[in-house]
Amino acid sequence: MSTITNGSATGSTTTAEPILRVRDLHVRFPTPRGTVHAVRGLDLELRRGEVLGIVGESGSGKSVTSLAVLGLLPDTTKVTGSVELDGEELIGRSDKQMSRLRGDKVAMVFQDPLSAFTPVYTIGDQIAETVRLHRGASKAEARARAIELLGLVGIPEPARRVDAFPHEFSGGMRQRAMIAMAMANDPDVILADEPTTALDVTIQAQIIEVLRTAQRETGAALVFVSHDLGVIAGIADRIAVMYAGRIVETATAEELFARPRMPYTIGLIGALPRLDATDRSPLVPIPGSPPSLIGLADACPFAARCPLVSEVCRSTEPVLEPPAGIDDPAHPSHAGGHSAGHTAACHRTAEVAAAHADAGRIFTLPVIPEHAASTDAARTDREPVVHVEGLTKTFPLVKGAVFRRKVGDVYAVDGVDLDIRRGETLGLVGESGSGKSTTLHQLMDLERPEAGTVELFGESLADATARGAAGTRALRQRISMVFQDPSASLDPRMSVYDVVAEPLRAIGAPASRIEERVPELLGLVGLQAAEADRYPHEFSGGQRQRISIARALAVEPDLVVLDEPVSALDVSIQAGVLNLLAELKARLGLSYLFVSHDLSVIRHVADRVSVMYLGRTVEEGAVDEVFERPMHPYTAALMSAVPVPDPVVERSRTTILLPGDPPSPTERPTGCRFRSRCPLYAVLPEAERRRCEEDTPEKAPRRGEDVDHRAACHYPEKVASIAA
């Protein structure tokens, strides 16, 4: 079993001389519409051994800042200001001169390692190359160093995997190898640009621990760029919040979360659902969108979205300075001087301080009524919407280009159970490859299942399909779906009116009904009917997802299937969409099947949760019960890996690190499928291990407890001990 306690990232001293100093950095991109001023006068300092977290919405300038430091921006970009690395000025250096520093004194971990690695060279060759270039090592020495580094970042069998190509590694392993390459020459600074984005929470926890190892081994300072404030809360010593190309607030992690002084920061924190929150109160929706960075006026760029805006905000852009109410030299924000203390770019910091960082006293929160169906009747008395038992779906595994032959099976779904009642939200969670999407496709295709039973609205799917097209057509009208990426799911050639009207035309609705229904639907999701003649690309990401929701509601369904509907959105936009879904559920009496890899989102939106592993349901029950008292080691590991956006809480938690990736779905192992990664199995005595190896566990409640909470584990009573 491997567990870690999330302590302080570094414990570095703020009095040390900065290893990286950025002064008045400006980055401008020429475009046909004008010059985009992506970074506007940015100042920051980074000391040895320190972790600086940079957060902000998409387009705020986070990644551009990192690329500017490394000199990796296009030649047409105009970069001015000063970037000093250990006293050496980097701005103005040629690419050849910068190449001597990249990978040696400063290294970068990119967001997408599959794009960053060269696909035609092995992982080992690419790591060894940077060692040979900067250290002058021989081939044998460089290869030995590559093997050492891969072992250090937790790649199993490094002496063998050193000869693997990037496509032969999983996403988490590729990111580990990218970190190994970054630490190859013991750099002074490591820049990590969204290194955990798109990774499962279990893999994310592994990557964060590997970054801590890299920093420990090299003594490097770390710049961690992320949109996830929970991740930042656990790893950063100091945090810089960026908006519209500038830092608008900076402080130590504890200070920023406890006493934010910029309305934008308060909005970002309040927009995050929390794993440890038991209430379902609305999240903070930051209205509007970030401004265009072409021709910004001399005003606060957040003014159009700020609930505290005043005349001075519209006439003068505030400077970054210690906020009102922090004048005491003994205040924690003054440690190390103002450059290392709490600063904010806001004219209204006194008013923010008076609100005591309460987002509800600054932003207008929507009022979401309780769903009558979820409060007036017992769950067992409510109408069943979806009931699935033992659902199975296999795909043939074939080889050969000309003469294709079957060589096995992929057991994508192999024993899934689902139960949704009217007015209920069921959250479906699990790592990538657990079978969540295949389960959705099986439901949405409305085809007779390969094995198991599927009942929709109290009718067997087998009976409905036996009635032919009429039977499936009636079911399709009662089920709709919202996809993960609205940019891909909305036809770019169709106007918003036609996108929303398409389902109505498919069921033969008259033109008069369509003309009446489309404006009604757009208003329902918070859009203007006058915008119906525009096209999807003319809307922001959050607005496009609202259009997708309007389309899903067009035929007045009873069940809406949501496949990662907010995973591609900034937290500020995500909050508005989640509030909207809660409001629509209450107003329209909807039921949701909500798939997400973000367990904090599931905790916020779901009434019940179903946990999947390797194609099987391993735990199910009421969301609060499962989250507070998990009965399966896999569920416990998932919960422990989800960061909490509070440095004090996050650094006191214990994370259970699961080794490796899930086994291949092409095999059906005997016994418990989770045992190869199970932290509980690792500490069981031999006799109890044998049961895990030979007997497949069936879902059952704790002895003498509620039958609604069930898990497929032989020893559920011992799960609580693995994180102790």
Side-chain angles (χ1 to χ4, degrees):
M1 179 177 69
S2 178
T3 62
I4 57 169
T5 301
N6 306 324
S8 178
T10 64
S12 60
T13 59
T14 57
T15 56
E17 188 66 21
I19 185 66
L20 179 69
R21 180 182 278 118
V22 179
R23 287 285 179 267
D24 196 28
L25 180 67
H26 291 261
V27 180
R28 298 176 174 87
F29 297 99
T31 72
R33 297 186 296 116
T35 299
V36 175
H37 202 165
V39 178
R40 305 180 302 118
L42 182 139
D43 297 327
L44 64 83
E45 291 182 351
L46 187 67
R47 291 164 175 79
R48 293 185 185 275
E50 183 181 33
V51 180
L52 173 67
I54 302 181
V55 300
E57 293 171 288
S58 299
S60 62
K62 308 185 301 295
S63 296
V64 172
T65 299
S66 299
L67 294 173
V69 170
L70 278 172
L72 292 176
L73 294 170
D75 293 338
T76 55
T77 309
K78 185 177 181 181
V79 181
T80 59
S82 172
V83 176
E84 290 185 2
L85 178 64
D86 200 16
E88 297 182 47
E89 179 60 55
L90 304 187
I91 299 295
R93 289 197 175 200
S94 67
D95 185 65
K96 185 175 181 179
Q97 291 171 323
M98 288 298 297
S99 294
R100 297 193 187 103
L101 295 175
R102 299 186 198 120
D104 184 17
K105 285 195 168 186
V106 59
M108 188 161 187
V109 178
F110 294 92
Q111 178 175 344
D112 182 7
L114 189 59
S115 299
F117 277 119
T118 303
V120 296
Y121 292 100
T122 67
I123 292 288
D125 285 343
Q126 295 183 64
I127 297 175
E129 180 185 26
T130 188
V131 177
R132 295 183 65 196
L133 282 174
H134 294 293
R135 289 190 173 185
S138 67
K139 284 187 177 181
E141 291 170 336
R143 179 181 172 85
R145 175 64 172 162
I147 294 172
E148 176 192 356
L149 289 165
L150 289 177
L152 195 62
V153 298
I155 299 294
E157 301 181 81
R160 181 176 65 86
R161 303 308 293 268
V162 73
D163 294 319
F165 289 89
H167 71 274
E168 297 178 288
F169 275 22
S170 67
M173 289 173 67
R174 282 194 294 267
Q175 196 63 287
R176 286 167 177 262
M178 178 63 64
I179 296 170
M181 182 185 291
M183 62 189 288
N185 294 299
D186 299 330
D188 295 322
V189 176
I190 297 176
L191 305 173
D193 184 16
E194 300 272 12
T196 60
T197 298
L199 296 178
D200 290 312
V201 290
T202 53
I203 307 302
Q204 172 181 276
Q206 295 173 14
I207 297 304
I208 290 173
E209 180 58 19
V210 169
L211 280 169
R212 287 191 175 109
T213 300
Q215 191 187 25
R216 212 163 39 239
E217 293 293 325
T218 63
L222 175 64
V223 177
F224 195 105
V225 175
S226 179
H227 68 277
D228 191 329
L229 278 164
V231 172
I232 291 293
I235 196 171
D237 297 309
R238 288 190 302 120
I239 299 175
V241 181
M242 289 193 69
Y243 185 79
R246 289 190 63 200
I247 292 176
V248 295
E249 185 162 12
T250 181
T252 63
E254 292 85 353
E255 171 73 10
L256 188 87
F257 279 88
R259 287 174 285 276
R261 288 295 182 264
M262 168 72 182
Y264 178 62
T265 306
I266 293 176
L268 288 181
I269 296 172
L272 280 172
R274 290 181 54 144
L275 185 76
D276 58 347
T278 57
D279 63 70
R280 304 292 190 271
S281 56
L283 301 171
V284 175
I286 303 178
S289 302
S292 168
L293 296 179
I294 299 175
L296 274 176
D298 182 16
C300 176
F302 189 61
R305 308 173 70 189
C306 183
L308 298 180
V309 63
S310 64
E311 190 58 37
V312 66
C313 304
R314 296 189 174 95
S315 59
T316 307
E317 183 165 10
V319 298
L320 194 66
E321 60 186 3
I326 301 183
D327 298 322
D328 181 6
H331 191 279
S333 73
H334 283 258
H338 290 326
S339 64
H342 194 163
T343 57
C346 180
H347 293 300
R348 308 297 301 278
T349 53
E351 290 82 355
V352 175
H356 301 289
D358 182 356
R361 296 174 62 179
I362 296 177
F363 290 87
T364 302
L365 303 183
V367 177
I368 300 175
E370 283 285 342
H371 191 330
S374 65
T375 56
D376 294 347
R379 181 175 185 274
T380 53
D381 295 334
R382 281 181 264 148
E383 176 189 344
V385 174
V386 175
H387 185 72
V388 175
E389 285 189 4
L391 181 65
T392 299
K393 178 64 177 177
T394 60
F395 297 96
L397 183 65
V398 297
K399 283 188 176 182
V402 179
F403 300 103
R404 298 176 68 78
R405 66 190 188 280
K406 180 180 175 181
V407 296
D409 291 293
V410 177
Y411 303 101
V413 174
D414 196 22
V416 167
D417 303 327
L418 301 174
D419 187 47
I420 306 175
R421 300 300 175 108
R422 176 168 293 281
E424 191 171 66
T425 299
L426 174 66
L428 189 59
V429 301
E431 293 172 290
S432 300
S434 62
K436 303 188 301 296
S437 295
T438 303
T439 300
L440 297 190
H441 293 157
Q442 287 296 104
L443 288 178
M444 298 303 295
D445 287 345
L446 298 182
E447 295 179 353
R448 188 186 297 268
E450 183 178 310
T453 60
V454 177
E455 294 180 2
L456 299 173
F457 311 106
E459 181 182 16
S460 167
L461 185 55
D463 293 341
T465 54
R467 292 190 284 114
T472 55
R473 188 182 304 115
L475 285 179
R476 288 192 188 282
Q477 190 168 336
R478 300 185 71 180
I479 306 174
S480 60
M481 188 165 184
V482 177
F483 295 91
Q484 177 176 354
D485 184 3
S487 298
S489 62
L490 300 179
D491 192 330
R493 301 166 298 178
M494 297 172 65
S495 68
V496 168
Y497 183 95
D498 290 331
V499 165
V500 177
E502 186 179 26
L504 294 165
R505 292 180 179 136
I507 64 171
S512 59
R513 174 57 177 157
I514 294 174
E515 290 178 3
E516 173 187 309
R517 182 70 172 148
V518 171
E520 176 186 329
L521 287 164
L522 292 177
L524 194 63
V525 299
L527 297 174
Q528 300 295 321
E531 299 175 319
D533 60 346
R534 296 167 61 189
Y535 289 83
H537 73 271
E538 299 178 86
F539 292 84
S540 68
Q543 289 173 320
R544 284 195 292 268
Q545 198 61 293
R546 288 172 180 264
I547 294 167
S548 295
I549 295 170
R551 180 180 63 180
L553 298 178
V555 295
E556 302 180 53
D558 296 304
L559 172 67
V560 179
V561 177
L562 301 125
D563 186 10
E564 300 273 11
V566 295
S567 65
L569 303 177
D570 285 315
V571 292
S572 55
I573 309 302
Q574 170 185 281
V577 173
L578 292 178
N579 288 342
L580 172 66
L581 289 171
E583 183 180 353
L584 293 173
K585 174 185 171 183
R587 290 177 59 183
L588 304 178
L590 298 172
S591 300
Y592 292 146
L593 175 55
F594 198 112
V595 176
S596 179
H597 71 276
D598 190 334
L599 276 77
S600 299
V601 169
I602 292 296
R603 181 72 187 265
H604 184 78
V605 303
D607 302 298
R608 299 182 76 251
V609 63
S610 180
V611 183
M612 289 184 65
Y613 183 78
L614 210 61
R616 292 177 64 88
T617 301
V618 297
E619 186 163 3
E620 61 186 7
V623 68
D624 288 338
E625 174 68 17
V626 172
F627 277 56
E628 294 294 333
R629 297 200 307 158
M631 293 169 57
H632 197 283
Y634 179 60
T635 308
L638 287 180
M639 304 303 176
S640 75
V642 178
V644 174
D646 183 325
V648 176
V649 174
E650 177 62 17
R651 293 171 186 179
S652 65
R653 297 172 71 229
T654 299
T655 299
I656 303 169
L657 295 179
L658 295 181
D661 298 300
S664 170
T666 60
E667 299 177 0
R668 271 180 168 165
T670 59
C672 176
R673 299 184 180 187
F674 183 58
R675 70 176 186 273
S676 63
R677 305 173 71 200
C678 180
L680 180 58
Y681 173 83
V683 298
L684 289 175
E686 183 62 32
E688 294 181 348
R689 283 192 184 189
R690 193 173 302 115
R691 186 183 179 194
C692 298
E693 295 162 3
E694 297 174 355
D695 299 336
T696 300
E698 299 296 332
K699 293 198 305 299
R702 281 191 183 91
R703 187 176 303 173
E705 295 196 7
D706 185 5
V707 295
D708 189 49
H709 183 192
R710 302 184 300 162
C713 179
H714 292 307
Y715 306 105
E717 68 281 356
K718 297 185 178 183
V719 170
S721 67
I722 61 178

